[in-house]
Amino acid sequence: MKWIDMHCDTLSEIIRQRKELKRNDLCADLERLLRGGAGAQFFACFVNAARYGLNTKDADEKMIWDQAYWNVLSMIGRAKREQNERFEIAVEPEMIQRQLWAETDESEILYGILTVEEGGVLNGRMERLGELYDRGVRLMTLTWNYTNCIGSPNSRNPAVMEKGLTEFGINVIEQMNDKGMIIDVSHLSDGGFWDCIRYSRAPIAASHSNARMLCRHPRNLTDEMLRALGEKGGVAGVNFYSPFLREKGRAQLSDLVLHIRHMVNCAGEDAVALGSDFDGFDPADCPEGAGSVLDVGKVFSSLKKNGFTQRQIEKIARDNVRRLIEDTW
């Protein structure tokens, strides 16, 4: 069964570690994605502005965000250079539709969907959103772990967590709706989340976030947020990072099943997908037995053993994301 994963950090990691996207020793590469049955993979162009000096004394924030933006453009270029007869960047819904409705489950081609994980790279310049779209970006995670021109990140500080979007951030939401880009609220403050629910005319995504009721981490979504996301037609991708799945210790496949069940109960079976976050953290923090893209099928087997129907599993595996793409792009 073909599947779609809404988030991995493999693209930024191969550049940082000087590896190849086609074949590497990380959690994901093109060869294993194809062998593992992936139909499409969202590849994040992730930048950590702290690596460029953000939040340090006398930091030139404008220059730092500009440098981060140039690095995103470099990642986009790298992904495009990796294209071949079996890997193509998807920019139209029809490309995903053709892939998922193919008769064979053995993927002959993998579609990559480019995303930006850190909306701060816009640096207050709306024209950059158009530049990113024109280069193939179809989803943007509005914040990472730092306050930026769009809004504030999730935080254990209630004052930060309550902050909403900036005026520029609200305009970004409108422009993303107009262009047909998916608004991603993973990493965003709770206040920012509710602003996205309020201002977006299109469904939104939490590309790699879990249930806060089961694991009390601020990166996860409350039951109220999950319900609102589902009511708006959005999708949440379950994250494989152990500290987002359980309070202590390494997660098991059973923890993924528990979060998926809870998210389905709150948001509905049309609102849950995969958002592994592979290569965004130490592989030792993957659930035991689910350390690479070759193990994604084990999640579906576990869901089946725990009473999920084939229809529900196919929605979680691919159909919910396909529908989100159709509704937004």
Side-chain angles (χ1 to χ4, degrees):
M1 177 175 63
K2 292 179 182 177
W3 47 267
I4 302 175
D5 176 31
M6 292 190 73
H7 188 86
C8 79
D9 286 301
T10 310
L11 185 57
S12 57
E13 279 300 294
I14 63 164
I15 293 174
R16 188 179 71 85
Q17 298 189 37
R18 299 182 179 181
K19 297 180 183 292
E20 298 296 325
L21 188 57
K22 181 178 180 181
R23 185 187 302 111
N24 58 57
D25 58 357
L26 301 174
C27 294
D29 60 31
L30 299 182
E31 290 187 355
R32 283 176 291 156
L33 280 162
L34 286 160
R35 292 209 318 269
Q41 173 69 59
F42 285 63
F43 287 100
C45 298
F46 162 65
V47 289
N48 178 355
R51 292 176 182 164
Y52 313 127
L54 188 70
N55 298 334
T56 60
K57 185 179 179 181
D58 301 324
D60 185 338
E61 293 195 10
K62 183 180 184 302
M63 183 182 69
I64 288 168
W65 286 120
D66 281 348
Q67 184 179 355
Y69 178 69
W70 298 326
N71 282 353
V72 163
L73 297 185
S74 176
M75 285 183 238
I76 292 172
R78 174 65 181 273
K80 289 184 174 181
R81 289 194 298 274
E82 295 278 356
Q83 291 183 107
N84 56 46
E85 67 279 1
R86 302 197 69 193
F87 175 59
E88 185 175 354
I89 303 300
V91 293
E92 300 292 343
E94 292 76 15
M95 301 171 78
I96 304 301
Q97 292 168 350
R98 288 196 303 270
Q99 168 73 309
L100 297 184
W101 289 112
E103 292 184 2
T104 176
D105 280 341
E106 292 185 6
S107 302
E108 295 181 358
I109 185 170
L110 173 73
Y111 283 106
I113 299 170
L114 293 177
T115 81
V116 169
E117 187 177 19
E118 177 50 278
V121 301
L122 299 184
N123 206 7
R125 298 171 59 179
M126 194 66 73
E127 65 271 19
R128 285 186 173 175
L129 190 67
E131 291 170 1
L132 292 172
Y133 181 86
D134 290 343
R135 290 172 186 258
V137 173
R138 292 296 180 268
L139 175 150
M140 186 169 72
T141 310
L142 300 183
T143 62
W144 190 59
N145 289 349
Y146 307 108
T147 297
N148 64 26
C149 57
I150 294 173
S152 298
N154 72 93
S155 175
R156 297 189 186 277
N157 182 337
V160 175
M161 197 62 143
E162 292 170 3
K163 289 184 178 181
L165 300 178
T166 64
E167 182 178 351
F168 178 77
I170 294 170
N171 289 335
V172 167
I173 297 304
E174 180 180 358
Q175 291 299 313
M176 290 181 72
N177 285 165
D178 289 346
K179 291 182 180 302
M181 296 176 72
I182 299 172
I183 295 162
D184 182 16
V185 298
S186 286
H187 288 283
L188 190 61
S189 66
D190 287 1
F193 171 92
W194 290 112
D195 276 348
C196 289
I197 292 291
R198 182 179 302 112
Y199 292 111
S200 178
R201 305 186 308 276
I204 63 177
S207 67
H208 54 304
S209 296
N210 296 340
R212 201 178 297 176
M213 179 63 73
L214 300 185
C215 182
R216 298 166 70 86
H217 195 290
R219 269 282 282 105
N220 290 337
L221 303 175
T222 67
D223 288 1
E224 185 180 11
M225 295 163 81
L226 285 165
R227 282 191 288 270
L229 187 79
E231 289 169 1
K232 200 172 183 69
V235 174
V238 65
N239 192 312
F240 286 32
Y241 184 43
S242 287
F244 296 167
L245 288 167
R246 63 190 306 169
E247 301 289 344
K248 295 180 181 180
R250 188 175 187 181
Q252 307 294 315
L253 283 170
S254 58
D255 292 301
L256 279 170
V257 173
L258 287 172
H259 276 264
I260 291 171
R261 187 182 300 282
H262 188 87
M263 293 160 75
V264 166
N265 288 341
C266 290
E269 64 180 42
D270 295 327
V272 183
L274 302 176
S276 70
D277 205 6
F278 277 143
D279 294 320
F281 50 84
D282 191 314
D285 286 323
C286 288
E288 189 170 351
S292 85
V293 293
L294 291 178
D295 299 318
V296 170
K298 296 178 183 178
V299 178
F300 307 139
S301 297
S302 295
L303 290 174
K304 185 174 183 179
K305 290 177 182 177
N306 283 274
F308 283 77
T309 66
Q310 185 62 26
R311 182 197 73 250
Q312 290 174 318
I313 294 171
E314 289 178 359
K315 285 184 175 185
I316 293 163
R318 64 192 189 193
D319 290 342
N320 291 340
V321 182
R322 175 188 55 78
R323 190 262 310 161
L324 177 69
I325 288 171
E326 292 172 356
D327 289 348
T328 53
W329 288 13

